[in-house]
Amino acid sequence: MKIGILHLSDLHIQDNPLIDRIDNLVKAIDYDVNQLSHIYLILSGDIVNFGRQTEFENAKIFISKLIEKLKERRAIINIKIVTVPGNHDCCFDNEKKTRKSILNDCRTDEVLEDDYFTDAMAVQTNFWNFTNELTEFKDRDKVAYKYEFRPHLDFKITFHCYNTSWLTEINEKQGSLIIPENKFIENENGEYVISVFHHPTDWLSANTKRNNKQRFEEHLIKSSNLVIYGHEHDKGNPKAILQRNNNVIFCGGKAFNTNIIDETGFSLYEIDLSDKSINSKTFKFNGEEYSVESQEKHRIIEKIKRKFILCQEFESRITNLTIPLKHSKKPKLVLSDIFVFPDLEPLIENDSIVQYPNSSDLIDRVKNEENVNILIEGADQAGKTALLYVLFKRYYEMGLTPIFLRGKYCNDTDIKKLVKKSLKEQYNDDNIDLYFQLEKRIILIDNFHRSTLNSKYKKKLILSFTNNFDYVLVTSDNTYSSKNLTEETTSFKEYLKYKLLPLGHEKRSELIEQWLLIGENILTIQEEVILNNVKLRFNEINSLIGNRLMPSYPIFILTLLQSLDENLQNFSQTSYANIYLVLIKAGLIKEGIKDSVLTSLLNILKELAFYTYEKEISVINTDDFDNFITNYKRKYFRHKSLTNDKILKVLCNSNILKYDDEYYTFSYKYIYYFLIAQKISTDIEKYQDLIYQLCNEIHLEINANILIFLSHHTKAQILIDSIVFTSEIPFENASPLTLDKDDEFVKFISEFTNEIKHEIIEDINPKEEVKKELKKKDSTERNEQKYEDSEESILPPEAIEMNQAFRTVKIIGQIVKNQSGDFEKEKLIKLVEAAYNTIFRFLGFYSSMLEKDKEILIETIVEDIKRKEEEKKSRRGEIDVKFIEKSVRNIFQFISWRICVDSMTNLMFAVGTKGQNELFDKVNSNINSPASKIVTFAIKTFYNNIDIKELENLFNDVKENYLAQCILREYIKRHLYTNFVERKKRDRIIQIAGFNKQRLIGKMKIN
């Protein structure tokens, strides 16, 4: 026996009762209907558009016609209707002025006054009249209510209906709605419960005292088998949350009626009473017929009540933020606002092929009932605790009773004693014997390396956890990696070991998007706007963190994001220097350092960094520090509370210094480089010789980064002159590449580019393309990191010159990006022109080398291949020498093409910035070559839309230069693939660029 749930959401009926869609709908489910004994028609809100009576009259016509058509197909079918109101079902034509004040009083966890509900729901009168007439529910003005049906003697189905729209206002904001806890409907064991409401839970407030959003979500998981909602015109795909002995499926309904016809649809859920399963189908409409878009099958599992309920205090601890992070659009942030699951690196020796799993996989492993034990190592600020908090909450939502244990409290080997203490802290019951009767036990141990137990008893404790829990997840520093062979390390021998990675490009972008969406109305914000905003913030963050200058841990990224937001509100280009200072101050303030002491401590820190730099020592011991302080006191006063021991303790606790094996070092490169640069900037004339030395050896990482930070601190002419002079040194005897059509280099590569002239532009979702690019960057960087060169100082001269060139350009870019508002126009033009010419000279050097040696290189490689083929001649027949020669030539052409395009792209990213088109146009005018025109175009189109007129002029300028056209097309393709471009303009751009049009049919693929 089967019953069905026909889910229609967001009909938005106004003047048109949508009768023309009914035949198509009924045809689409004709076969399914004939298998069903009962159909429950669920209308999950926004039945009409303005809540008016005339609209509801049209809705009645639609419902009656739909039922009539269904009955024609299967006369004996039993049809029942279930409705909940949406925001569009509220009529504000005659809203009372007093309602708004009532609404403000109702935004609490519990609402006990019945009059409040009546007054708040006065705007829903027409909905209740409609509901009372069409359904078996005859009450009104309810926040929560039930429909109960028994399609079979042994099966009861209950619809728990929640009126999420009772607090609706005309311009309602996400996160402003409430379902009072005293209105939650409990599930009686054995019932099959379907919870129905209009707004997804993200629209409920997380800012009430008990976090109404979170409470309602937990209630749904505990009480419901199926959750149905609408409002956001979702794709209708079910999202299952599996639990031990429980599961719940969340289904957001596709809008039945919107302006974009091919985004409309509905869902049908078939419940098989014989095997207790539910088959979910989502149908989409193409304007003529409905077809199945997705289909999934799930089990129905009877709900059970928890033995251990999470304590509110502990729940708040793992939900709220412990870091002082502020957002302009949300006064109180919670962990879920700013959390993304980081990637993990398996710690496997001698394994060249490494997969980097997402830490969210740790949830799936438990869902799949895998009994595994895992050790995750990571630095203090890598986000280990936040990950465990999120996992704890997810495991709890899955019906488990996880235990959270801090390593510093692991001071006993009696695990019953340790677990009992955690139960008392985290749950409503500390019955340890009852806990160990649970079928599946999971424990999360945070920072186990902080345990005060000795090695022998640490090992005993871990073995005890392993033997008594089904799933043990331990975080630590690198104490227990395979390279550290201590006694307790052997207890982790059978554990899967991972390293918690900093956020790569993809995760960084995901976190930035999450930050930018805080407080935004996700229904109205345009995809292209958020994509562009994420791109701009992403480039700013990348510029600030440098090439592994600081680890991209979430705490650093979020602090930088907050600082950038504050800088935009009080904009000053030179305030970028303060962003790094904020990171340092944040650690000190967290350790309780007050303003009166902070200034003195920051000066000590700056002098200490410069002291170690001048002494050319990377580590210091206590005696070194005492000597430093003795010298320091001769020049500066220090606060009386700052004893030597306290200074070292505070700096270590705030992760500015780290202590290892009796030595102190700076924890992160950015702190060290920043402080050295800060010291130099205080008296830049005094350190003129040092600046020349830094520039002269700019190929070294430390020198390049000190100069980058120095560019944040000062705009002194001596620094600018030194950098410009340095930019002229690499490849000084090479002529800059112009990409003129008569260049031999251009002619050589054109043979290759001629073979890609029929390239086709495809319809690609820009958001997905950007994500794909970021994934590719992560993969490339991880591979590069594994095979980095050991010593920069022993590089060959040509490689040193390349490093000098690219690092000088990077420093120029930092100045342009961060301080352009403080520099005279001519200085900026001179700087950017120097950057352009630096890269063009490198390409000129490469092209001259290629022109000189390419025939010899090609001949040498061809001869080598011929020799090898001669050895196989008896098996392969005649050798096609011309084919081999052409292949080798093509390889050289392709390599040259990539070097050319990649160098220009690196220049674009290094110096490019938004809102400086006049600057780049002036530089291009001064150089006036096809190469400068292409780079300038690339910069402008990366940060702005493509100017059609400018594009036409540019292609006209290079109409006889096929290589220049190909490079331009490369940047155009990237722009079209990574930006939302209006169709008419997109087609015009493609036409001007000369791409093949044969596949340019259809619409953009948008998720």
Side-chain angles (χ1 to χ4, degrees):
M1 180 180 177
K2 291 183 180 180
I3 62 174
I5 298 168
L6 178 58
H7 178 202
L8 304 183
S9 189
D10 298 82
L11 285 81
H12 297 292
I13 291 174
Q14 197 170 340
D15 300 324
N16 178 7
L18 305 179
I19 294 174
D20 55 334
R21 302 235 187 131
I22 293 175
D23 280 339
N24 292 321
L25 186 159
V26 174
K27 285 178 185 177
I29 61 174
D30 183 42
Y31 176 82
D32 301 293
V33 169
N34 284 320
Q35 318 303 312
L36 306 176
S37 62
H38 295 70
I39 282 187
Y40 300 97
L41 175 58
I42 308 298
L43 305 175
S44 62
D46 283 3
I47 300 165
V48 299
N49 210 30
F50 294 104
R52 294 169 183 150
Q53 184 177 343
T54 54
E55 296 175 334
F56 279 110
E57 292 300 325
N58 283 331
K60 290 178 194 174
I61 295 172
F62 172 82
I63 299 299
S64 62
K65 290 289 185 184
L66 175 58
I67 292 174
E68 179 186 320
K69 289 290 183 182
L70 289 170
K71 289 279 191 181
E72 285 178 9
R73 300 279 176 170
R74 184 169 169 79
I76 63 170
I77 199 165
N78 190 314
I79 300 175
K80 301 291 184 182
I81 302 171
V82 174
T83 66
V84 293
N87 50 302
H88 281 271
D89 296 319
C90 300
C91 183
F92 296 99
D93 292 347
N94 299 305
E95 182 186 16
K96 293 182 180 179
K97 293 181 180 179
T98 55
R99 182 174 179 265
K100 192 170 186 67
S101 62
I102 292 171
L103 300 189
N104 291 332
D105 292 337
C106 293
R107 302 191 198 279
T108 59
D109 291 299
E110 293 189 354
V111 180
L112 302 175
E113 297 81 359
D114 287 340
D115 289 347
Y116 279 1
F117 298 118
T118 304
D119 293 343
M121 282 181 262
V123 293
Q124 295 179 343
T125 298
N126 295 328
F127 165 81
W128 292 113
N129 291 338
F130 168 83
T131 294
N132 294 161
E133 184 175 340
L134 286 189
T135 78
E136 296 185 2
F137 186 76
K138 301 305 177 187
D139 211 335
R140 57 199 302 124
D141 299 339
K142 295 293 182 183
V143 173
Y145 50 100
K146 280 186 183 183
Y147 290 86
E148 295 180 333
F149 304 104
R150 192 174 287 278
H152 189 271
L153 285 174
D154 298 326
F155 191 83
K156 179 183 177 184
I157 185 168
T158 304
F159 292 90
H160 288 183
C161 298
Y162 294 98
N163 180 358
T164 57
S165 303
W166 75 288
L167 294 180
T168 284
E169 297 178 81
I170 292 178
N171 295 312
E172 69 185 5
K173 294 181 180 177
Q174 189 171 3
S176 65
L177 304 178
I178 298 284
I179 298 293
E181 285 187 48
N182 57 308
K183 296 299 180 181
F184 291 179
I185 306 171
E186 294 300 323
N187 183 358
E188 300 171 12
N189 281 346
E191 282 189 337
Y192 184 77
V193 169
I194 300 171
S195 290
V196 185
F197 45 89
H198 180 62
H199 297 80
T201 57
D202 284 345
W203 286 79
L204 299 183
S205 175
N207 295 321
T208 65
K209 188 175 180 180
R210 289 166 57 85
N211 190 332
N212 185 253
K213 170 184 177 292
Q214 182 178 311
R215 286 288 175 181
F216 186 58
E217 287 172 345
E218 288 179 357
H219 168 71
L220 292 173
I221 291 168
K222 286 189 291 185
S223 65
S224 311
N225 297 93
L226 177 64
V227 176
I228 296 175
Y229 54 90
H231 189 62
E232 290 190 352
H233 305 178
D234 207 335
K235 291 189 171 182
N237 295 330
K239 302 159 190 174
I241 295 180
L242 303 177
Q243 308 176 358
R244 183 184 65 82
N245 295 333
N246 275 295
N247 79 341
V248 60
I249 304 156
F250 283 76
C251 294
K254 286 181 81 76
F256 190 76
N257 180 31
T258 70
N259 293 330
I260 305 173
I261 196 72
D262 57 3
E263 291 184 6
T264 64
F266 66 93
S267 295
L268 179 69
Y269 315 113
E270 298 174 2
I271 300 173
D272 192 327
L273 303 187
S274 59
D275 66 359
K276 298 295 179 69
S277 66
I278 178 168
N279 187 36
S280 166
K281 288 184 182 179
T282 301
F283 293 80
K284 64 178 180 179
F285 193 47
N286 64 7
E288 296 180 359
E289 62 183 7
Y290 287 97
S291 59
V292 176
E293 183 177 47
S294 65
Q295 183 170 349
E296 289 190 38
K297 193 168 185 176
H298 299 273
R299 287 187 305 142
I300 300 170
I301 301 177
E302 183 180 338
K303 292 287 170 179
I304 61 171
K305 291 185 178 179
R306 284 186 179 275
K307 295 174 182 176
F308 294 90
I309 306 297
L310 198 62
C311 290
Q312 182 185 343
E313 185 179 345
F314 184 75
E315 186 178 357
S316 297
R317 185 185 305 169
I318 66 174
T319 301
N320 297 331
L321 284 181
T322 56
I323 53 175
L325 205 60
K326 296 178 182 177
H327 194 285
S328 59
K329 295 186 178 179
K330 188 175 181 182
K332 185 180 179 183
L333 297 175
V334 293
L335 182 58
S336 59
D337 288 327
I338 49 87
F339 181 81
V340 297
F341 281 100
D343 289 332
L344 302 172
E345 179 183 5
L347 297 177
I348 305 171
E349 292 186 3
N350 303 320
D351 194 341
S352 57
I353 301 174
V354 178
Q355 299 293 326
Y356 294 86
N358 191 319
S359 53
S360 63
D361 291 351
L362 301 175
I363 299 169
D364 294 328
R365 291 188 179 192
V366 176
K367 282 182 182 178
N368 297 333
E369 299 188 352
E370 297 177 26
N371 291 358
V372 290
N373 301 318
I374 290 175
L375 172 67
I376 298 176
E377 71 171 43
D380 280 346
Q381 294 175 300
K384 302 190 299 293
T385 303
L387 174 61
L388 290 192
Y389 280 168
V390 171
L391 290 173
F392 182 102
K393 190 176 177 187
R394 293 292 182 90
Y395 294 145
Y396 181 76
E397 290 171 351
M398 289 160 55
L400 295 166
T401 307
I403 295 295
F404 184 88
L405 189 59
R406 293 167 185 79
K408 64 180 179 180
Y409 296 141
C410 291
N411 49 15
D412 199 311
T413 57
D414 184 346
I415 66 167
K416 275 200 167 186
K417 185 177 177 181
L418 293 172
V419 172
K420 186 177 179 68
K421 185 177 179 181
S422 294
L423 279 173
K424 189 172 183 179
E425 175 195 30
Q426 296 160 26
Y427 292 96
N428 65 331
D429 194 335
D430 64 351
N431 187 332
I432 189 65
D433 295 317
L434 181 62
Y435 179 81
F436 276 100
Q437 292 176 41
L438 296 177
E439 291 180 14
K440 198 172 189 71
R441 296 183 293 276
I442 180 169
I443 189 163
L444 312 176
I445 307 167
D446 192 28
N447 290 314
F448 185 68
H449 61 282
R450 294 181 181 170
S451 168
T452 55
L453 295 175
N454 62 33
S455 186
K456 176 182 176 180
Y457 286 100
K458 277 184 182 177
K459 178 178 181 178
K460 183 177 179 181
L461 180 59
I462 284 296
L463 290 175
S464 186
F465 283 134
T466 305
N467 293 331
N468 288 281
F469 285 85
D470 303 285
Y471 189 104
V472 183
L473 178 53
V474 183
T475 67
S476 170
D477 60 6
N478 64 354
T479 302
Y480 307 109
S481 65
S482 57
K483 295 177 183 177
N484 299 316
L485 298 177
T486 59
E487 186 170 354
E488 70 261 30
T489 299
T490 61
S491 60
F492 291 107
K493 185 178 179 181
E494 302 303 322
Y495 276 55
L496 297 175
K497 300 181 185 69
Y498 296 96
K499 178 181 178 182
L500 191 66
L501 291 174
L503 300 183
H505 291 83
E506 182 186 8
K507 294 291 182 179
R508 224 174 292 162
S509 178
E510 187 180 328
L511 179 59
I512 292 167
E513 181 174 354
Q514 211 162 304
W515 176 268
L516 293 177
L517 285 174
I518 291 174
E520 295 289 347
N521 185 338
I522 61 173
L523 290 181
T524 57
I525 192 166
Q526 300 298 310
E527 276 193 290
E528 57 267 33
V529 172
I530 192 66
L531 186 67
N532 286 334
N533 289 343
V534 169
K535 180 167 68 174
L536 291 173
R537 271 289 183 271
F538 180 84
N539 289 323
E540 288 174 319
I541 293 294
N542 275 10
S543 175
L544 287 166
I545 67 175
N547 182 25
R548 298 192 290 278
L549 194 59
M550 68 173 85
S552 56
Y553 296 145
I555 178 62
F556 293 147
I557 304 296
L558 290 164
T559 306
L560 292 174
L561 284 168
Q562 177 183 270
S563 299
L564 285 169
D565 283 355
E566 291 170 353
N567 286 341
L568 287 176
Q569 293 165 18
N570 307 291
F571 190 74
S572 167
Q573 288 281 8
T574 52
S575 63
Y576 266 61
N578 294 329
I579 291 175
Y580 297 97
L581 193 57
V582 165
L583 289 167
I584 298 170
K585 283 183 176 180
L588 298 174
I589 292 170
K590 190 177 178 182
E591 287 302 304
I593 300 299
K594 305 298 182 185
D595 288 345
S596 57
V597 185
L598 188 61
T599 303
S600 180
L601 188 54
L602 287 171
N603 195 55
I604 291 171
L605 198 52
K606 176 184 66 181
E607 294 296 326
L608 176 63
F610 196 70
Y611 172 82
T612 61
Y613 175 70
E614 279 196 312
K615 296 285 186 184
E616 296 183 354
I617 53 177
S618 58
V619 297
I620 59 171
N621 57 27
T622 307
D623 291 339
D624 293 328
F625 186 75
D626 291 342
N627 290 335
F628 159 73
I629 290 294
T630 301
N631 292 328
Y632 179 86
K633 288 192 295 184
R634 294 193 187 107
K635 295 173 64 178
Y636 302 100
F637 290 108
R638 66 166 173 172
H639 197 278
K640 61 182 180 180
S641 67
L642 292 175
T643 63
N644 289 15
D645 288 343
K646 182 176 181 180
I647 293 170
L648 289 172
K649 182 180 178 182
V650 167
L651 294 180
C652 286
N653 288 345
S654 58
N655 284 300
I656 292 174
L657 294 183
K658 61 181 177 182
Y659 180 71
D660 185 25
D661 197 23
E662 301 182 6
Y663 289 98
Y664 295 90
T665 59
F666 282 90
S667 297
Y668 303 114
K669 293 177 183 178
Y670 85 91
I671 296 177
Y672 185 52
Y673 299 150
F674 173 84
L675 292 169
I676 295 169
Q678 190 182 42
K679 169 66 177 177
I680 296 171
S681 69
T682 57
D683 193 356
I684 199 161
E685 294 295 332
K686 176 182 174 182
Y687 296 109
Q688 183 171 340
D689 290 342
L690 177 56
I691 291 172
Y692 288 149
Q693 180 186 333
L694 292 170
C695 289
N696 191 46
E697 296 180 340
I698 202 172
H699 62 282
L700 298 175
E701 180 197 30
I702 183 171
N703 294 349
N705 283 302
I706 290 173
L707 285 168
I708 287 173
F709 278 109
L710 194 55
S711 75
H712 286 288
H713 286 297
T714 180
K715 59 180 187 292
Q717 187 63 44
I718 181 177
L719 176 64
I720 306 305
D721 289 343
S722 298
I723 291 170
V724 171
F725 177 75
T726 303
S727 74
E728 294 170 350
I729 295 173
F731 313 110
E732 58 184 331
N733 296 321
S735 299
L737 185 75
T738 63
L739 289 184
D740 284 330
K741 62 184 177 64
D742 295 327
D743 282 357
E744 290 301 319
F745 181 71
V746 171
K747 292 176 182 177
F748 176 66
I749 304 182
S750 292
E751 292 179 32
F752 163 74
T753 55
N754 192 51
E755 296 185 9
I756 59 171
K757 64 183 177 183
H758 299 301
E759 189 174 12
I760 297 166
I761 289 288
E762 299 177 9
D763 280 341
I764 287 177
N765 184 333
K767 193 170 182 179
E768 291 302 315
E769 183 66 16
V770 170
K771 190 174 182 178
K772 190 169 76 174
E773 281 191 5
L774 296 176
K775 278 181 180 289
K776 188 176 178 180
K777 283 184 179 179
D778 283 335
S779 178
T780 301
E781 280 198 3
R782 285 164 181 168
N783 287 331
E784 286 175 353
Q785 203 166 349
K786 286 168 65 179
Y787 304 108
E788 280 183 327
D789 292 329
S790 55
E791 287 290 333
E792 292 174 299
S793 56
I794 57 172
L795 291 172
E798 293 82 4
I800 289 176
E801 278 196 281
M802 281 181 61
N803 263 340
Q804 284 179 322
F806 284 99
R807 283 180 168 166
T808 305
V809 168
K810 186 177 179 182
I811 294 167
I812 290 172
Q814 288 286 313
I815 296 171
V816 175
K817 290 173 186 289
N818 305 331
Q819 301 184 62
S820 60
D822 295 332
F823 277 89
E824 295 174 6
K825 283 184 178 182
E826 290 306 315
K827 287 184 179 179
L828 277 176
I829 293 167
K830 186 179 179 182
L831 275 170
V832 177
E833 195 171 331
Y836 273 48
N837 282 323
T838 299
I839 298 302
F840 294 159
R841 277 199 314 276
F842 159 67
L843 289 172
F845 166 77
Y846 173 78
S847 66
S848 63
M849 268 192 14
L850 185 71
E851 181 59 28
K852 177 184 173 185
D853 299 327
K854 71 173 185 290
E855 296 303 330
I856 297 173
L857 286 168
I858 291 171
E859 184 179 338
T860 302
I861 295 172
V862 169
E863 286 299 320
D864 185 56
I865 294 173
K866 278 172 61 180
R867 180 181 55 77
K868 290 177 180 177
E869 289 297 316
E870 287 283 352
E871 296 172 2
K872 305 173 186 176
K873 185 175 179 182
S874 59
R875 287 178 295 168
R876 295 181 178 253
E878 291 298 319
I879 299 171
D880 191 341
V881 177
K882 288 186 177 180
F883 175 77
I884 294 172
E885 187 175 327
K886 183 182 178 184
S887 298
V888 173
R889 186 175 293 273
N890 281 347
I891 290 170
F892 272 104
Q893 290 166 344
F894 172 74
I895 291 171
S896 300
W897 157 261
R898 285 297 355 147
I899 287 173
C900 183
V901 173
D902 291 348
S903 298
M904 294 169 78
T905 302
N906 285 334
L907 173 60
M908 175 195 82
F909 281 122
V911 301
T913 187
K914 190 174 177 63
Q916 296 291 341
N917 286 0
E918 182 185 353
L919 166 63
F920 300 114
D921 283 337
K922 182 62 178 174
V923 171
N924 175 44
S925 175
N926 288 351
I927 299 175
N928 194 26
S929 69
S932 67
K933 291 175 182 177
I934 291 170
V935 170
T936 302
F937 170 81
I939 291 171
K940 290 162 70 174
T941 55
F942 182 80
Y943 290 99
N944 303 279
N945 295 325
I946 291 179
D947 184 308
I948 294 291
K949 189 65 179 175
E950 185 176 357
L951 184 65
E952 287 178 326
N953 292 337
L954 189 52
F955 267 95
N956 190 53
D957 286 347
V958 296
K959 61 184 177 182
E960 295 180 1
N961 187 334
Y962 192 70
L963 177 60
Q965 291 178 37
C966 279
I967 298 175
L968 277 173
R969 288 194 191 98
E970 189 81 358
Y971 290 117
I972 291 167
K973 183 171 72 171
R974 188 184 190 284
H975 181 87
L976 294 177
Y977 280 2
T978 59
N979 292 274
F980 289 94
V981 181
E982 185 267 326
R983 170 62 63 180
K984 186 177 178 182
K985 182 176 181 180
R986 187 172 185 272
D987 288 345
R988 180 66 183 132
I989 290 169
I990 290 168
Q991 180 187 21
I992 295 169
F995 285 108
N996 195 316
K997 295 182 180 181
Q998 68 184 59
R999 295 183 194 170
L1000 299 177
I1001 299 172
K1003 298 189 176 181
M1004 290 290 290
K1005 301 171 188 173
I1006 300 176
N1007 285 342

